[in-house]
Amino acid sequence: MAAATLARRLGRSGVLPLCCRLPAWDRATRPPPSPLQPPGLPLAPCRSFSNNKIQVELDESSGVAMMKFKSPPVNSLSLEFLTEFSISLEKLENNKACRGVIITSALPKIFSSGLDITEMCGKSLEHYTEFWRAVQEMWLRLYGSNMVTVAAVNGSSPAGGCLVALSCDYRIMAENPKFSIGLNEAQLGIVAPFWFKDTFVNVVGHRIAERSLQLGSLHPAPEALKLGLVDELVPEEKLMEKAAAVMAQWLALPDHARQLTKTMMRKAVLDRLVAHREDDIKNFISFVSKESIQKSLRMYMEMLKKRKS
Amino acid sequence: MAAATLARRLGRSGVLPLCCRLPAWDRATRPPPSPLQPPGLPLAPCRSFSNNKIQVELDESSGVAMMKFKSPPVNSLSLEFLTEFSISLEKLENNKACRGVIITSALPKIFSSGLDITEMCGKSLEHYTEFWRAVQEMWLRLYGSNMVTVAAVNGSSPAGGCLVALSCDYRIMAENPKFSIGLNEAQLGIVAPFWFKDTFVNVVGHRIAERSLQLGSLHPAPEALKLGLVDELVPEEKLMEKAAAVMAQWLALPDHARQLTKTMMRKAVLDRLVAHREDDIKNFISFVSKESIQKSLRMYMEMLKKRKS
Amino acid sequence: MAAATLARRLGRSGVLPLCCRLPAWDRATRPPPSPLQPPGLPLAPCRSFSNNKIQVELDESSGVAMMKFKSPPVNSLSLEFLTEFSISLEKLENNKACRGVIITSALPKIFSSGLDITEMCGKSLEHYTEFWRAVQEMWLRLYGSNMVTVAAVNGSSPAGGCLVALSCDYRIMAENPKFSIGLNEAQLGIVAPFWFKDTFVNVVGHRIAERSLQLGSLHPAPEALKLGLVDELVPEEKLMEKAAAVMAQWLALPDHARQLTKTMMRKAVLDRLVAHREDDIKNFISFVSKESIQKSLRMYMEMLKKRKS
């Protein structure tokens, strides 16, 4: 147990924790939390990286960033959203004060609805290329992040939204059977890309992935827990508290060893997309630029517009 | 939800379902079920492909074929049986009216007893080659089928019989603890081929497969459910009703996306046999043509004959 | 069932068991257990291979060896221990009278504490090379053993101790929540080598391994059972009896088919270390010979010494 306590104190210093009296904390230069600071009101150490669609706050005292999707109505993954997402991840990754990030939604009932269909409709080949590259980029950064990533899934999370959750280190979902999660692409006549599938298989295993992907299932929260798609359910009002507790547990480990272990587990799947990135883009373009697909997309969007009004 | 309902209506048309008012059903040329047709007596749309050992009926109104193994006493997979099986699968695969197949046994208490030992005894090298190629062919067609395949396991299913069930998309087994299922080759001193093993691992995972294959376990139905070897158990009298319901659920998905997803999940394992098919045949021949093996096979068959009389 | 009974009688003869009246037992030359021998006191058939740190007794009547770790205080895997372990395994492997081995600890409360830190501290590069090669050698022999290997985990089993258990065919653990097991390297700032990870993934699957390795979790016995890290729990006083019963079940199978099946399941992971053995040694040396690591190891050992006195 002494070793564990020690490890907790070591933080990022990582590889040196076999001893108890090391000059441990290698980020001693950052200011300690002020003892005068009132609880619940972190003044100095909280830095905001918020931008248009994603709100980011870093609590430098704990090393934990909170990332909230805030792109009404349903946090769909548009090119702009994805770009902001990747930039935010990169900023946090490069910030030595940040060791972990909790990802959640600032909107009620929805975590993220997945890829934005309007990005796939009536645009140029250049646009499709740029869009798909942004989807890949987001996943490469998130699945390969050196930070501890915890998804606090406080609403439904279909398709690309599910991918975001699956790419984190840990998934906590609000205990609400009305919220569902899954890679439901097949329901829409679309095939999930191979790296969505790889990520899914790494979480739930081959058999559950095969069945769920073929049926395009959206699993209500209790079923998602049973299948291992999420790690635990908590009442919605306790979600953030639980996410913080889980984050603290993961941050108790020395960063360096944890990061190398994570890389060891995920490298094969990350490398596979890197090796086939251009083919994957070509596949997407050839699919999306079919006249038949374009026609259905246009009609689908019109239907959505009418429903709103 | 609108999208899901839509997808259900789209059927084979597959990739175009993002819109609600598509000229959906791409097989409109087939005759609709007659409103005058009495329920339970499908006259026109039911076509029979039955042959010697397997009875096949296709209900064109639902797009579902029923395939019943009818080769007494135990549906053993002889060369003739395997050839009929592959031909039936090919016919259905090429029939645009067929989208799914339910596989079951017409005999009581047994689904299939596995490979026919008489095909391995006292025959020529040419015969062994032909036989093993037929085993491979059956699996390549079944595991790689574009149709939805549901196994209604209404009896015991050892060795090759288990492989047939494992190769389907979904397995429902009669809730009878006297029925068992498993790759029990090791009990007989035989090693399951690598592609039997690959299929098994894809269903139950590495650990369960390692233990079950080494012990040559035959799992009673309740245990098979617990291990994930079958997906659900139902009372025997409800088996076909349940199989039809599951089939309807899978057929609610657009065929094209479902098929591509299935291929994505199974391709690696299918490709592996295709790449090593001739080596696999050589392995089988070298095993089966050993004098020691031939001697034991002859004595085993004599024992079976005596038992009968 | 006749076939199964037969198989049980066939033992090592393996590939010939399809018939019932074979001249079965191919080791008939060994002396049968004497009917005059008092129960519980196996005189003639029990041979001892014990050496300094590991006690080995082979009961030739059952074909089962008992291997007890007896290196106080905590059965740490020193170079000497590992060498004796590998030699013992090799002796048993080459002894036709031995078909299975039960591995347990002769010390209370601890199965094995894992790699011996003193072997990594203040030694020459040659020593580090020799030590790491011995760790690899032990695993290659144990994970690739042709014998049935059953771990009777009668105490805590962290890190390398857990690897020993994971490398067996079956794991039974004492039902004591104070005993824990896991690959907790990350807690100590160390990364488990890739072949520790491969062995772990083959037992518990990718997701559980990813989480457990990153957190460096030590799982109390009941949790270890739930995760599939061990196969069953029994009260400590019944552990050896249960291990013997499990061994008898596995030995009921013909050896040859079981061995080939085991090889088929484990070969890919074994081959991976064989292919990268020298790189793996270089990695270890480059890690352990860092001055910072050496410093922490020295201080850690001083701390342990002070704690003892």
mmCIF file of all heavy atoms in Angstrom, chain A residues 186-189 191-192 197 206-207 210-211 213-215 292-293 296-297 299-300 303 307, chain B residues 2-4 7 14-20 169 202-203 231 250 253-254 257 260 264-266:
data_model
loop_
_atom_site.group_PDB
_atom_site.id
_atom_site.type_symbol
_atom_site.label_atom_id
_atom_site.label_comp_id
_atom_site.label_asym_id
_atom_site.label_seq_id
_atom_site.Cartn_x
_atom_site.Cartn_y
_atom_site.Cartn_z
ATOM 1 N N ALA A 186 -25.938 1.067 -39.077
ATOM 2 C CA ALA A 186 -26.625 0.122 -39.971
ATOM 3 C C ALA A 186 -28.113 0.431 -40.104
ATOM 4 O O ALA A 186 -28.714 0.215 -41.156
ATOM 5 C CB ALA A 186 -26.423 -1.313 -39.492
ATOM 6 N N GLN A 187 -28.724 0.963 -39.036
ATOM 7 C CA GLN A 187 -30.138 1.360 -39.094
ATOM 8 C C GLN A 187 -30.371 2.418 -40.156
ATOM 9 O O GLN A 187 -31.454 2.529 -40.719
ATOM 10 C CB GLN A 187 -30.574 1.946 -37.738
ATOM 11 C CG GLN A 187 -30.736 0.937 -36.636
ATOM 12 C CD GLN A 187 -32.185 0.540 -36.403
ATOM 13 O OE1 GLN A 187 -33.085 0.956 -37.142
ATOM 14 N NE2 GLN A 187 -32.407 -0.280 -35.407
ATOM 15 N N LEU A 188 -29.364 3.227 -40.404
ATOM 16 C CA LEU A 188 -29.486 4.301 -41.382
ATOM 17 C C LEU A 188 -28.953 3.880 -42.749
ATOM 18 O O LEU A 188 -28.824 4.711 -43.647
ATOM 19 C CB LEU A 188 -28.736 5.545 -40.904
ATOM 20 C CG LEU A 188 -29.103 6.027 -39.497
ATOM 21 C CD1 LEU A 188 -28.218 7.195 -39.098
ATOM 22 C CD2 LEU A 188 -30.571 6.433 -39.426
ATOM 23 N N GLY A 189 -28.632 2.594 -42.897
ATOM 24 C CA GLY A 189 -28.124 2.132 -44.187
ATOM 25 C C GLY A 189 -26.658 2.441 -44.403
ATOM 26 O O GLY A 189 -26.130 2.312 -45.503
ATOM 27 N N VAL A 191 -22.509 1.970 -43.149
ATOM 28 C CA VAL A 191 -21.615 1.032 -42.471
ATOM 29 C C VAL A 191 -20.621 1.822 -41.619
ATOM 30 O O VAL A 191 -19.988 2.761 -42.111
ATOM 31 C CB VAL A 191 -20.846 0.187 -43.502
ATOM 32 C CG1 VAL A 191 -19.932 -0.814 -42.801
ATOM 33 C CG2 VAL A 191 -21.821 -0.523 -44.423
ATOM 34 N N ALA A 192 -20.503 1.458 -40.355
ATOM 35 C CA ALA A 192 -19.510 2.113 -39.496
ATOM 36 C C ALA A 192 -18.117 1.845 -40.057
ATOM 37 O O ALA A 192 -17.824 0.737 -40.478
ATOM 38 C CB ALA A 192 -19.630 1.586 -38.072
ATOM 39 N N LYS A 197 -15.425 0.279 -35.597
ATOM 40 C CA LYS A 197 -15.603 -1.134 -35.239
ATOM 41 C C LYS A 197 -14.474 -1.620 -34.326
ATOM 42 O O LYS A 197 -14.718 -2.267 -33.304
ATOM 43 C CB LYS A 197 -15.655 -1.954 -36.537
ATOM 44 C CG LYS A 197 -15.835 -3.437 -36.357
ATOM 45 C CD LYS A 197 -14.520 -4.230 -36.337
ATOM 46 C CE LYS A 197 -13.856 -4.297 -37.687
ATOM 47 N NZ LYS A 197 -12.544 -5.017 -37.601
ATOM 48 N N HIS A 206 -15.733 -9.307 -29.599
ATOM 49 C CA HIS A 206 -16.142 -9.535 -30.983
ATOM 50 C C HIS A 206 -17.626 -9.875 -31.128
ATOM 51 O O HIS A 206 -18.318 -9.308 -31.973
ATOM 52 C CB HIS A 206 -15.303 -10.668 -31.587
ATOM 53 C CG HIS A 206 -15.467 -10.806 -33.070
ATOM 54 N ND1 HIS A 206 -16.521 -11.488 -33.644
ATOM 55 C CD2 HIS A 206 -14.738 -10.324 -34.094
ATOM 56 C CE1 HIS A 206 -16.415 -11.432 -34.958
ATOM 57 N NE2 HIS A 206 -15.337 -10.739 -35.259
ATOM 58 N N ARG A 207 -18.154 -10.771 -30.296
ATOM 59 C CA ARG A 207 -19.525 -11.254 -30.496
ATOM 60 C C ARG A 207 -20.557 -10.140 -30.279
ATOM 61 O O ARG A 207 -21.453 -9.938 -31.080
ATOM 62 C CB ARG A 207 -19.805 -12.428 -29.561
ATOM 63 C CG ARG A 207 -21.270 -12.871 -29.522
ATOM 64 C CD ARG A 207 -21.784 -13.246 -30.900
ATOM 65 N NE ARG A 207 -23.234 -13.478 -30.934
ATOM 66 C CZ ARG A 207 -23.958 -13.357 -32.030
ATOM 67 N NH1 ARG A 207 -23.405 -13.018 -33.181
ATOM 68 N NH2 ARG A 207 -25.249 -13.569 -31.997
ATOM 69 N N GLU A 210 -20.352 -7.702 -33.118
ATOM 70 C CA GLU A 210 -20.899 -8.218 -34.376
ATOM 71 C C GLU A 210 -22.421 -8.077 -34.418
ATOM 72 O O GLU A 210 -23.000 -7.627 -35.396
ATOM 73 C CB GLU A 210 -20.504 -9.689 -34.540
ATOM 74 C CG GLU A 210 -20.936 -10.269 -35.882
ATOM 75 C CD GLU A 210 -20.590 -11.758 -36.008
ATOM 76 O OE1 GLU A 210 -21.385 -12.601 -35.570
ATOM 77 O OE2 GLU A 210 -19.533 -12.062 -36.567
ATOM 78 N N ARG A 211 -23.037 -8.479 -33.316
ATOM 79 C CA ARG A 211 -24.496 -8.438 -33.246
ATOM 80 C C ARG A 211 -25.010 -7.002 -33.197
ATOM 81 O O ARG A 211 -25.938 -6.628 -33.913
ATOM 82 C CB ARG A 211 -24.918 -9.226 -31.997
ATOM 83 C CG ARG A 211 -26.382 -9.346 -31.781
ATOM 84 C CD ARG A 211 -26.628 -10.295 -30.611
ATOM 85 N NE ARG A 211 -27.925 -10.076 -30.002
ATOM 86 C CZ ARG A 211 -28.312 -10.660 -28.865
ATOM 87 N NH1 ARG A 211 -27.493 -11.495 -28.247
ATOM 88 N NH2 ARG A 211 -29.502 -10.421 -28.363
ATOM 89 N N LEU A 213 -23.555 -4.169 -34.086
ATOM 90 C CA LEU A 213 -23.291 -3.390 -35.305
ATOM 91 C C LEU A 213 -24.219 -3.808 -36.440
ATOM 92 O O LEU A 213 -24.699 -2.973 -37.206
ATOM 93 C CB LEU A 213 -21.836 -3.578 -35.754
ATOM 94 C CG LEU A 213 -20.781 -2.787 -34.992
ATOM 95 C CD1 LEU A 213 -19.382 -3.189 -35.449
ATOM 96 C CD2 LEU A 213 -20.977 -1.282 -35.175
ATOM 97 N N GLN A 214 -24.454 -5.127 -36.571
ATOM 98 C CA GLN A 214 -25.334 -5.577 -37.654
ATOM 99 C C GLN A 214 -26.765 -5.101 -37.444
ATOM 100 O O GLN A 214 -27.467 -4.793 -38.397
ATOM 101 C CB GLN A 214 -25.317 -7.111 -37.766
ATOM 102 C CG GLN A 214 -24.090 -7.647 -38.474
ATOM 103 C CD GLN A 214 -24.301 -9.082 -38.957
ATOM 104 O OE1 GLN A 214 -25.090 -9.338 -39.835
ATOM 105 N NE2 GLN A 214 -23.579 -9.992 -38.343
ATOM 106 N N LEU A 215 -27.199 -5.080 -36.188
ATOM 107 C CA LEU A 215 -28.563 -4.638 -35.891
ATOM 108 C C LEU A 215 -28.636 -3.116 -35.743
ATOM 109 O O LEU A 215 -29.714 -2.553 -35.621
ATOM 110 C CB LEU A 215 -29.078 -5.311 -34.615
ATOM 111 C CG LEU A 215 -29.376 -6.812 -34.725
ATOM 112 C CD1 LEU A 215 -29.674 -7.409 -33.357
ATOM 113 C CD2 LEU A 215 -30.562 -7.051 -35.666
ATOM 114 N N SER A 292 -27.369 8.914 -55.607
ATOM 115 C CA SER A 292 -28.476 8.321 -54.831
ATOM 116 C C SER A 292 -28.362 8.708 -53.349
ATOM 117 O O SER A 292 -29.367 9.033 -52.700
ATOM 118 C CB SER A 292 -28.439 6.803 -54.969
ATOM 119 O OG SER A 292 -27.151 6.324 -54.589
ATOM 120 N N ILE A 293 -27.155 8.703 -52.838
ATOM 121 C CA ILE A 293 -26.956 9.073 -51.438
ATOM 122 C C ILE A 293 -27.263 10.554 -51.236
ATOM 123 O O ILE A 293 -27.946 10.943 -50.292
ATOM 124 C CB ILE A 293 -25.494 8.776 -51.012
ATOM 125 C CG1 ILE A 293 -25.177 7.290 -51.125
ATOM 126 C CG2 ILE A 293 -25.228 9.272 -49.600
ATOM 127 C CD1 ILE A 293 -25.894 6.421 -50.141
ATOM 128 N N SER A 296 -30.998 11.128 -51.106
ATOM 129 C CA SER A 296 -31.628 10.738 -49.837
ATOM 130 C C SER A 296 -31.254 11.712 -48.726
ATOM 131 O O SER A 296 -32.095 12.045 -47.888
ATOM 132 C CB SER A 296 -31.243 9.319 -49.429
ATOM 133 O OG SER A 296 -30.255 8.770 -50.229
ATOM 134 N N LEU A 297 -30.015 12.184 -48.736
ATOM 135 C CA LEU A 297 -29.596 13.122 -47.700
ATOM 136 C C LEU A 297 -30.418 14.412 -47.786
ATOM 137 O O LEU A 297 -30.892 14.934 -46.774
ATOM 138 C CB LEU A 297 -28.099 13.432 -47.826
ATOM 139 C CG LEU A 297 -27.138 12.297 -47.461
ATOM 140 C CD1 LEU A 297 -25.697 12.662 -47.825
ATOM 141 C CD2 LEU A 297 -27.221 11.960 -45.974
ATOM 142 N N MET A 299 -33.403 14.831 -49.020
ATOM 143 C CA MET A 299 -34.784 14.610 -48.598
ATOM 144 C C MET A 299 -34.876 14.438 -47.091
ATOM 145 O O MET A 299 -35.834 14.877 -46.451
ATOM 146 C CB MET A 299 -35.354 13.391 -49.331
ATOM 147 C CG MET A 299 -35.500 13.658 -50.836
ATOM 148 S SD MET A 299 -35.909 12.158 -51.763
ATOM 149 C CE MET A 299 -37.668 12.022 -51.394
ATOM 150 N N TYR A 300 -33.878 13.789 -46.532
ATOM 151 C CA TYR A 300 -33.855 13.569 -45.091
ATOM 152 C C TYR A 300 -33.777 14.898 -44.353
ATOM 153 O O TYR A 300 -34.497 15.139 -43.381
ATOM 154 C CB TYR A 300 -32.656 12.689 -44.722
ATOM 155 C CG TYR A 300 -32.582 12.294 -43.271
ATOM 156 C CD1 TYR A 300 -33.586 11.517 -42.693
ATOM 157 C CD2 TYR A 300 -31.517 12.692 -42.477
ATOM 158 C CE1 TYR A 300 -33.521 11.142 -41.365
ATOM 159 C CE2 TYR A 300 -31.437 12.327 -41.145
ATOM 160 C CZ TYR A 300 -32.441 11.552 -40.584
ATOM 161 O OH TYR A 300 -32.368 11.194 -39.269
ATOM 162 N N MET A 303 -37.013 16.754 -44.447
ATOM 163 C CA MET A 303 -37.930 16.164 -43.474
ATOM 164 C C MET A 303 -37.644 16.706 -42.071
ATOM 165 O O MET A 303 -38.556 17.074 -41.327
ATOM 166 C CB MET A 303 -37.780 14.652 -43.495
ATOM 167 C CG MET A 303 -38.779 13.920 -42.635
ATOM 168 S SD MET A 303 -38.274 12.182 -42.385
ATOM 169 C CE MET A 303 -36.883 12.361 -41.256
ATOM 170 N N ARG A 307 -40.112 18.995 -39.651
ATOM 171 C CA ARG A 307 -40.454 18.539 -38.314
ATOM 172 C C ARG A 307 -40.266 19.654 -37.294
ATOM 173 O O ARG A 307 -41.058 19.823 -36.377
ATOM 174 C CB ARG A 307 -39.553 17.349 -37.947
ATOM 175 C CG ARG A 307 -40.201 16.437 -36.929
ATOM 176 C CD ARG A 307 -39.196 15.446 -36.367
ATOM 177 N NE ARG A 307 -39.160 14.233 -37.164
ATOM 178 C CZ ARG A 307 -38.247 13.278 -36.984
ATOM 179 N NH1 ARG A 307 -37.297 13.440 -36.077
ATOM 180 N NH2 ARG A 307 -38.256 12.190 -37.714
ATOM 181 N N ALA B 2 -38.013 7.620 -36.565
ATOM 182 C CA ALA B 2 -38.510 7.629 -37.935
ATOM 183 C C ALA B 2 -37.519 6.915 -38.855
ATOM 184 O O ALA B 2 -37.894 6.119 -39.707
ATOM 185 C CB ALA B 2 -38.715 9.059 -38.413
ATOM 186 N N ALA B 3 -36.256 7.161 -38.609
ATOM 187 C CA ALA B 3 -35.210 6.564 -39.439
ATOM 188 C C ALA B 3 -35.233 5.037 -39.334
ATOM 189 O O ALA B 3 -35.081 4.328 -40.321
ATOM 190 C CB ALA B 3 -33.844 7.099 -39.036
ATOM 191 N N ALA B 4 -35.474 4.542 -38.122
ATOM 192 C CA ALA B 4 -35.480 3.096 -37.927
ATOM 193 C C ALA B 4 -36.662 2.461 -38.655
ATOM 194 O O ALA B 4 -36.538 1.446 -39.326
ATOM 195 C CB ALA B 4 -35.538 2.775 -36.437
ATOM 196 N N ALA B 7 -35.891 2.416 -42.205
ATOM 197 C CA ALA B 7 -34.919 1.379 -42.544
ATOM 198 C C ALA B 7 -35.609 0.037 -42.670
ATOM 199 O O ALA B 7 -35.318 -0.743 -43.568
ATOM 200 C CB ALA B 7 -33.836 1.317 -41.471
ATOM 201 N N GLY B 14 -30.958 -0.903 -48.996
ATOM 202 C CA GLY B 14 -29.730 -0.664 -48.270
ATOM 203 C C GLY B 14 -29.227 0.741 -48.147
ATOM 204 O O GLY B 14 -29.609 1.477 -47.253
ATOM 205 N N VAL B 15 -28.357 1.148 -49.014
ATOM 206 C CA VAL B 15 -27.582 2.359 -48.763
ATOM 207 C C VAL B 15 -28.345 3.661 -48.876
ATOM 208 O O VAL B 15 -27.779 4.711 -48.628
ATOM 209 C CB VAL B 15 -26.350 2.449 -49.692
ATOM 210 C CG1 VAL B 15 -25.299 1.469 -49.238
ATOM 211 C CG2 VAL B 15 -26.741 2.224 -51.118
ATOM 212 N N LEU B 16 -29.589 3.630 -49.263
ATOM 213 C CA LEU B 16 -30.272 4.889 -49.513
ATOM 214 C C LEU B 16 -31.266 5.297 -48.440
ATOM 215 O O LEU B 16 -32.206 6.017 -48.718
ATOM 216 C CB LEU B 16 -31.010 4.820 -50.863
ATOM 217 C CG LEU B 16 -30.263 4.153 -51.994
ATOM 218 C CD1 LEU B 16 -31.143 4.114 -53.228
ATOM 219 C CD2 LEU B 16 -28.983 4.895 -52.286
ATOM 220 N N PRO B 17 -31.148 4.877 -47.227
ATOM 221 C CA PRO B 17 -32.288 5.017 -46.354
ATOM 222 C C PRO B 17 -32.287 6.277 -45.524
ATOM 223 O O PRO B 17 -33.052 6.368 -44.586
ATOM 224 C CB PRO B 17 -32.160 3.813 -45.448
ATOM 225 C CG PRO B 17 -30.693 3.666 -45.339
ATOM 226 C CD PRO B 17 -30.075 4.253 -46.554
ATOM 227 N N LEU B 18 -31.472 7.264 -45.857
ATOM 228 C CA LEU B 18 -31.437 8.450 -45.021
ATOM 229 C C LEU B 18 -32.639 9.343 -45.288
ATOM 230 O O LEU B 18 -32.829 10.361 -44.660
ATOM 231 C CB LEU B 18 -30.135 9.224 -45.262
ATOM 232 C CG LEU B 18 -28.924 8.546 -44.616
ATOM 233 C CD1 LEU B 18 -27.643 9.118 -45.156
ATOM 234 C CD2 LEU B 18 -29.002 8.700 -43.105
ATOM 235 N N CYS B 19 -33.467 8.964 -46.209
ATOM 236 C CA CYS B 19 -34.605 9.803 -46.550
ATOM 237 C C CYS B 19 -35.895 9.021 -46.412
ATOM 238 O O CYS B 19 -35.906 7.805 -46.451
ATOM 239 C CB CYS B 19 -34.432 10.294 -47.962
ATOM 240 S SG CYS B 19 -35.933 10.250 -48.908
ATOM 241 N N CYS B 20 -36.987 9.749 -46.284
ATOM 242 C CA CYS B 20 -38.227 9.084 -45.915
ATOM 243 C C CYS B 20 -39.134 8.735 -47.078
ATOM 244 O O CYS B 20 -40.028 7.927 -46.939
ATOM 245 C CB CYS B 20 -38.996 9.954 -44.932
ATOM 246 S SG CYS B 20 -39.391 9.046 -43.426
ATOM 247 N N ASP B 169 -25.693 -16.185 -37.721
ATOM 248 C CA ASP B 169 -25.687 -14.865 -37.087
ATOM 249 C C ASP B 169 -26.253 -14.897 -35.676
ATOM 250 O O ASP B 169 -25.919 -14.050 -34.842
ATOM 251 C CB ASP B 169 -26.521 -13.879 -37.927
ATOM 252 C CG ASP B 169 -25.872 -13.560 -39.247
ATOM 253 O OD1 ASP B 169 -24.643 -13.331 -39.253
ATOM 254 O OD2 ASP B 169 -26.567 -13.551 -40.279
ATOM 255 N N ASN B 202 -14.389 -16.109 -31.997
ATOM 256 C CA ASN B 202 -15.197 -14.939 -32.346
ATOM 257 C C ASN B 202 -16.534 -14.917 -31.603
ATOM 258 O O ASN B 202 -17.114 -13.854 -31.402
ATOM 259 C CB ASN B 202 -15.449 -14.888 -33.857
ATOM 260 C CG ASN B 202 -14.336 -14.149 -34.598
ATOM 261 O OD1 ASN B 202 -13.415 -13.624 -33.972
ATOM 262 N ND2 ASN B 202 -14.423 -14.098 -35.914
ATOM 263 N N VAL B 203 -17.018 -16.074 -31.190
ATOM 264 C CA VAL B 203 -18.299 -16.124 -30.478
ATOM 265 C C VAL B 203 -18.122 -16.023 -28.962
ATOM 266 O O VAL B 203 -18.795 -15.237 -28.307
ATOM 267 C CB VAL B 203 -19.088 -17.411 -30.841
ATOM 268 C CG1 VAL B 203 -20.340 -17.537 -29.970
ATOM 269 C CG2 VAL B 203 -19.472 -17.405 -32.313
ATOM 270 N N ASP B 231 -27.313 -17.788 -28.044
ATOM 271 C CA ASP B 231 -27.774 -16.454 -27.640
ATOM 272 C C ASP B 231 -28.980 -16.483 -26.723
ATOM 273 O O ASP B 231 -29.160 -15.606 -25.898
ATOM 274 C CB ASP B 231 -28.081 -15.619 -28.887
ATOM 275 C CG ASP B 231 -26.828 -15.345 -29.688
ATOM 276 O OD1 ASP B 231 -25.931 -14.677 -29.158
ATOM 277 O OD2 ASP B 231 -26.718 -15.826 -30.830
ATOM 278 N N TRP B 250 -33.924 -8.986 -37.508
ATOM 279 C CA TRP B 250 -32.712 -8.779 -38.298
ATOM 280 C C TRP B 250 -33.059 -8.276 -39.696
ATOM 281 O O TRP B 250 -32.308 -7.489 -40.286
ATOM 282 C CB TRP B 250 -31.887 -10.075 -38.383
ATOM 283 C CG TRP B 250 -31.122 -10.371 -37.123
ATOM 284 C CD1 TRP B 250 -31.652 -10.694 -35.904
ATOM 285 C CD2 TRP B 250 -29.699 -10.351 -36.952
ATOM 286 N NE1 TRP B 250 -30.643 -10.874 -34.982
ATOM 287 C CE2 TRP B 250 -29.428 -10.690 -35.598
ATOM 288 C CE3 TRP B 250 -28.613 -10.101 -37.795
ATOM 289 C CZ2 TRP B 250 -28.134 -10.767 -35.077
ATOM 290 C CZ3 TRP B 250 -27.322 -10.190 -37.275
ATOM 291 C CH2 TRP B 250 -27.085 -10.510 -35.937
ATOM 292 N N LEU B 253 -33.490 -4.489 -40.781
ATOM 293 C CA LEU B 253 -32.355 -3.646 -41.191
ATOM 294 C C LEU B 253 -32.200 -3.673 -42.707
ATOM 295 O O LEU B 253 -32.485 -4.676 -43.339
ATOM 296 C CB LEU B 253 -31.064 -4.190 -40.583
ATOM 297 C CG LEU B 253 -30.693 -3.796 -39.163
ATOM 298 C CD1 LEU B 253 -30.211 -2.353 -39.132
ATOM 299 C CD2 LEU B 253 -31.813 -4.023 -38.174
ATOM 300 N N PRO B 254 -31.733 -2.578 -43.282
ATOM 301 C CA PRO B 254 -31.450 -2.584 -44.724
ATOM 302 C C PRO B 254 -30.335 -3.601 -45.021
ATOM 303 O O PRO B 254 -29.295 -3.580 -44.366
ATOM 304 C CB PRO B 254 -30.978 -1.167 -45.022
ATOM 305 C CG PRO B 254 -30.880 -0.448 -43.737
ATOM 306 C CD PRO B 254 -31.440 -1.288 -42.646
ATOM 307 N N ALA B 257 -26.284 -2.504 -45.861
ATOM 308 C CA ALA B 257 -25.438 -2.052 -44.749
ATOM 309 C C ALA B 257 -25.151 -3.212 -43.796
ATOM 310 O O ALA B 257 -24.030 -3.368 -43.305
ATOM 311 C CB ALA B 257 -26.124 -0.908 -44.006
ATOM 312 N N LEU B 260 -22.480 -5.558 -45.413
ATOM 313 C CA LEU B 260 -21.130 -4.996 -45.378
ATOM 314 C C LEU B 260 -20.570 -5.039 -43.954
ATOM 315 O O LEU B 260 -19.385 -5.294 -43.741
ATOM 316 C CB LEU B 260 -21.131 -3.560 -45.905
ATOM 317 C CG LEU B 260 -21.391 -3.400 -47.407
ATOM 318 C CD1 LEU B 260 -21.478 -1.917 -47.781
ATOM 319 C CD2 LEU B 260 -20.294 -4.072 -48.234
ATOM 320 N N MET B 264 -17.291 -7.056 -42.704
ATOM 321 C CA MET B 264 -16.227 -6.377 -41.950
ATOM 322 C C MET B 264 -15.845 -7.179 -40.708
ATOM 323 O O MET B 264 -14.685 -7.269 -40.339
ATOM 324 C CB MET B 264 -16.714 -4.977 -41.558
ATOM 325 C CG MET B 264 -15.742 -4.159 -40.728
ATOM 326 S SD MET B 264 -16.260 -2.419 -40.599
ATOM 327 C CE MET B 264 -17.779 -2.569 -39.637
ATOM 328 N N MET B 265 -16.845 -7.787 -40.051
ATOM 329 C CA MET B 265 -16.582 -8.535 -38.825
ATOM 330 C C MET B 265 -15.946 -9.895 -39.093
ATOM 331 O O MET B 265 -15.188 -10.401 -38.284
ATOM 332 C CB MET B 265 -17.883 -8.759 -38.041
ATOM 333 C CG MET B 265 -18.577 -7.506 -37.540
ATOM 334 S SD MET B 265 -17.545 -6.447 -36.481
ATOM 335 C CE MET B 265 -17.196 -7.513 -35.089
ATOM 336 N N ARG B 266 -16.279 -10.526 -40.219
ATOM 337 C CA ARG B 266 -15.886 -11.931 -40.432
ATOM 338 C C ARG B 266 -14.775 -12.130 -41.448
ATOM 339 O O ARG B 266 -14.250 -13.237 -41.576
ATOM 340 C CB ARG B 266 -17.127 -12.742 -40.846
ATOM 341 C CG ARG B 266 -18.223 -12.703 -39.810
ATOM 342 C CD ARG B 266 -19.335 -13.705 -40.058
ATOM 343 N NE ARG B 266 -20.167 -13.841 -38.859
ATOM 344 C CZ ARG B 266 -21.133 -14.737 -38.699
ATOM 345 N NH1 ARG B 266 -21.397 -15.597 -39.678
ATOM 346 N NH2 ARG B 266 -21.829 -14.812 -37.578
#
